[in-house]
Amino acid sequence: MADPASVAKVKFPPDLRPPFPRFRCYQRFAQDLNPLAEQPTYTDPYALEKELRKVQALMKLEQQEDLEQFKIKSAQATIAERQKRGLTWYPVKITSEDIGFGGKLVLELERQGGGGLHLFQVGKNAALFGNIPGRSGSDRPTLSGVITSVKRNKILLATTKEDLPDWVDEGKLGVDLTFDEVSYREMEYALGKVMGAYDSRLAELRDVLLGAKPARYKPEAEATLYYPSPLNQSQLAAVRHVLAAQDVAIIHGPPGTGKTTTLVQAILETIRRERRVLVCAPSNTAVDLLTEKLAERGVNVIRMGNPSRVSDLLLQHTLDAQIMNHKSYAELRSMRQTAEQYREEAGKFKRHFGWEEREQRRQLKQQAHDLLQESDQLERYITEDLLEQVQVITCTLVGASNRAIRHLTYETVFIDEAAQALEPGCWIPISKANRVVLAGDHQQLPPTVKSEKAAAQGLRETLFEKCIRRQPDTARMLEVQYRMHEQIMEFSSEQFYEGRLKAAPSVAHADLPAYDLRFAPDTAVEFLDTAGFGFQEITIEESRSTANPEEADLLLKRLAQLLEAYDQADHEADLLTIGVIAPYRAQINYLKDAIEENDELVGLLEHRMLSVGTVDAFQGQERDIIAISLTRSNPQGEIGFLSDIRRMNVGMTRARRKLLLVGDSSTLGAHPFYKAFLDYVESIGAYRTAWELQ
């Protein structure tokens, strides 16, 4: 067998074998100078390793692009701008100092005034900085560290130094998130484990998920359900499919089909059979939602990491809160308070003192250090005790490598929003699993990829998408949707879901007149055509964005006309909600400004009944009325972002009662998706021209 050291430019963690030893292909890898080569077919015996090597190379491109963008944004942004983006706390106050592992300083930092969502979470790199008069930007002094705890307006920063620098007393202090190398490092490590897996459960899961081996299932008839539930037949079939799966199961949840409800039910049934499961998602928001739903059902759940929605329900399920409620916490607190007293005593000695004072200070610091080490051991015991009793651990994908749980393995790992997760991120929790359940919808928004080159070469293709395409039998699709009027649903169903979606009776005919009889009878879908009207798009060169002011004005005119009959005073308990969507930031900005000057609509904006944004801003949300400005109008028939039809699927399916689209059919009609949509609106009598509004 070839020596791993002989493989050209290949580095692996010391505890891992080289990739896929059974293929005996190290020499071939050494000769493969282009890991971004064309995607292999599965007749090639080296296909899986080529594929994973390509994913690894694409992640390197993504990391480089992410770092470059971070540097540019950081260099140009003011402190206030970074605060707004959730990357900075300013000003902060040092509320306590402790000695951590290796004698390094651990600071408790509290942001003054509090407020605002942020991206601070355990495990992220951060730096304390001094905003000193006369020094700015890269000239500001910093103290680097890692965040070890986040509690509302306080964080613990484990620094790289043993003492506080003098500049902390020279000006106001702040703390910045620095570039997130942790996520990339964990994804790289997980990919290394997957490529190095041999004759193990991870190797089997890798081969099944990537389509090289068939997935195995027990008979679904054996999957007796213990918990009564109001699930429909397709949801129950998905739960039974999860219970029958021996390797992997996929819950495919189109818009409004109750994916989260089904997933929670599948988790409940699973923990009835297994001691402890891991539930992950790529976003904190999705993790929070699942944590709340499970807690409401009485599940003993621990939320690792930092909740993005700061609610009492979520906070009480964090690991920190559970530790504070543990019977041994009083002893832990007492030990740390005593250690802090020793440190304060040691700090009273001045720089010029004799041997006895120096020795006394040394002994006090040593006693503090010893006590802190004992308290750390006690905290590890408390943590292990809690994790032994917990039924469900929830976290982000990268959070699965949190130091408190990274040693754990699970019979089942659930990954929600898997169709929005980068493949390397999914391998982090999968590497700890005996079987995997993926939930999501690959016909909605893909993962965000910052490198255009990496995206073009396939980094947006998720593990969910690969598995459902290569092994269709792994998936069960939810077929009844509870959000949309059937006219809104029908086009999406035909285009993306083989016509299998059905509208639940409660929503099938729930249009605007069903909400309030004062609304005029109309179709639930409406397309307003601007062709021949001379509404030409404008390109904003500075931002490379596109706007179409006249089309925006027409959309708002029609929206105001629709809402003439609406009186919000009659609907205080169920206010109408409206979303205005456009694919371009320049068009969004114009729409916002125009609404501010529109007497009929500005009140809705002030009462938060109306919101404006791109499709991405509405992912996972819904509104009674969705109005979309398609924006593009040009003689060349160029449609840019609109060609991403999955994004348009998301936009259209946010609507419950009314979907209004405004666009130029002569520009859109050359694309088969929009041609099909134009045919659809004509077939249901929903096509109108802009001339009709004059």
Side-chain angles (χ1 to χ4, degrees), residues 485-499:
H485 188 283
E486 60 185 5
Q487 286 184 339
I488 300 171
M489 172 205 74
E490 189 175 349
F491 179 71
S492 175
S493 178
E494 291 296 332
Q495 290 291 311
F496 297 99
Y497 306 108
E498 302 171 337

Side-chain angles (χ1 to χ4, degrees), residues 93-136:
K93 180 173 68 174
I94 299 173
T95 50
S96 73
E97 304 169 33
D98 280 329
I99 302 170
F101 290 115
K104 299 295 190 289
L105 197 63
V106 179
L107 302 176
E108 183 182 70
L109 306 172
E110 181 177 10
R111 60 173 169 173
Q112 305 301 287
L117 293 174
H118 60 83
L119 301 176
F120 284 66
Q121 57 183 284
V122 172
K124 286 204 170 187
N125 295 330
L128 182 72
F129 66 85
N131 191 17
I132 298 170
R135 302 176 70 175
S136 61

